[in-house]
């Protein structure tokens, strides 16, 4: 009796699995047909989106209503895949001005930066009035990595004053501070004007 019940249970489980499998197989095409139906007609010069539903205009075209209209790409520009904006962008070394791509004038001792639409001065030069002028590094100084200011910094033990680096005079019972262009008193001395005195 128990064997018969176990056999019937196995048969029922197998039947149930077959029915679920058949249901899953028929559901996939129905879902696919529904998703395809949602996209509607795909217009000329477009393709179905690689994810989700709907369509997108091909490169060189942009969406206007339910159509894909050709983009007029000016000289020194390339078509973009974006469906927004102009549908084109200027090539590296050119910038857009009134719908035209004009060459970016790079002055002597400069180069186009990573963006390709601006220039920066080479190391050892700084920008002044649209040009790159040489940085005059005074004695006891070195070129800095900053693109701002004088373009140079004093060596440790020296302090900048206008266009020169002067030695930091360290009084008795003192030492150069962390910056290297000033001093501080040793403990337990306190700073008073240009000297270190006991409290």
């Amino acid at each position: 009796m128990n064997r018969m019940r176990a056999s019937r249970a196995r048969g029922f489980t197998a039947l149930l699995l077959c029915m679920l499998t058949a249901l899953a197989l028929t559901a996939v095409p129905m879902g696919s047909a529904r998703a395809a139906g949602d996209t509607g007609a795909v217009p000329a010069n477009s393709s179905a989106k690689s994810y989700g539903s709907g369509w997108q205009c091909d490169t060189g075209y942009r969406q206007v209503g339910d159509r894909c209209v050709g983009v007029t790409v000016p000289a020194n520009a390339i078509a973009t895949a974006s469906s927004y904006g102009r549908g084109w962008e200027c090539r590296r070394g050119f910038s857009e001005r009134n719908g035209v791509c004009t060459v970016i004038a790079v002055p002597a001792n400069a180069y186009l930066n990573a963006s390709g639409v601006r220039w920066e001065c080479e190391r050892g030069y700084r920008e002044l009035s649209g040009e790159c002028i040489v940085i005059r590094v005074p004695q006891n100084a070195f070129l800095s990595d900053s693109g701002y200011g004088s373009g140079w910094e004093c060596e440790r033990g020296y302090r900048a004053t206008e266009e020169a680096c002067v030695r930091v005079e360290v009084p008795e019972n003192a030492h150069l501070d962390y910056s290297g262009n000033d001093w501080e008193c040793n403990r337990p001395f306190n700073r008073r004007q240009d000297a270190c005195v006991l409290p």
Side-chain angles (χ1 to χ4, degrees):
M1 193 72 173
N2 289 337
R3 287 182 185 174
M4 189 178 292
R5 285 181 183 170
S7 177
R8 284 182 185 170
R10 281 195 298 271
F12 179 74
T13 303
L15 179 63
L16 185 60
L17 285 173
C18 287
M19 290 174 63
L20 289 172
T21 303
L23 183 62
L25 290 174
T26 57
V28 170
M30 287 173 61
S32 298
R34 191 178 299 118
D38 289 345
T39 62
V42 178
N45 304 311
S46 70
S47 53
K49 288 185 176 178
S50 57
Y51 58 90
S53 62
W55 51 269
Q56 61 187 13
C57 293
D58 298 334
T59 300
Y61 296 85
R62 66 177 174 175
Q63 186 175 345
V64 177
D66 58 353
R67 298 183 305 128
C68 290
V69 178
V71 173
T72 302
V73 181
N76 302 311
I78 55 172
T80 62
S82 175
S83 59
Y84 302 99
R86 297 182 299 260
W88 56 268
E89 62 183 25
C90 294
R91 294 182 183 276
R92 178 176 171 80
F94 294 84
S95 63
E96 188 274 331
R97 186 176 297 162
N98 299 325
V100 177
C101 292
T102 56
V103 67
I104 297 170
V106 180
N109 305 309
Y111 61 93
L112 279 173
N113 66 7
S115 71
V117 295
R118 285 186 298 276
W119 55 266
E120 295 177 8
C121 292
E122 295 173 356
R123 182 170 171 80
Y125 295 83
R126 62 187 174 102
E127 191 273 331
L128 181 67
S129 301
E131 296 181 3
C132 291
I133 61 169
V134 68
I135 296 171
R136 304 289 179 194
V137 181
Q139 192 174 2
N140 302 310
F142 59 92
L143 283 171
S144 68
D145 293 327
S146 174
Y148 304 98
S150 63
W152 54 267
E153 295 178 21
C154 292
E155 295 173 356
R156 183 171 175 80
Y158 292 84
R159 181 186 296 129
T161 58
E162 295 181 1
E163 299 299 317
C165 291
V166 297
R167 182 183 293 277
V168 176
E169 299 297 335
V170 181
E172 190 177 358
N173 300 312
H175 61 273
L176 284 172
D177 67 6
Y178 179 79
S179 70
N181 57 23
D182 202 356
W183 56 268
E184 59 187 13
C185 295
N186 302 331
R187 291 182 180 177
F189 294 88
N190 291 332
R191 185 167 182 163
R192 185 172 297 166
Q193 295 181 346
D194 293 329
C196 291
V197 298
L198 286 169

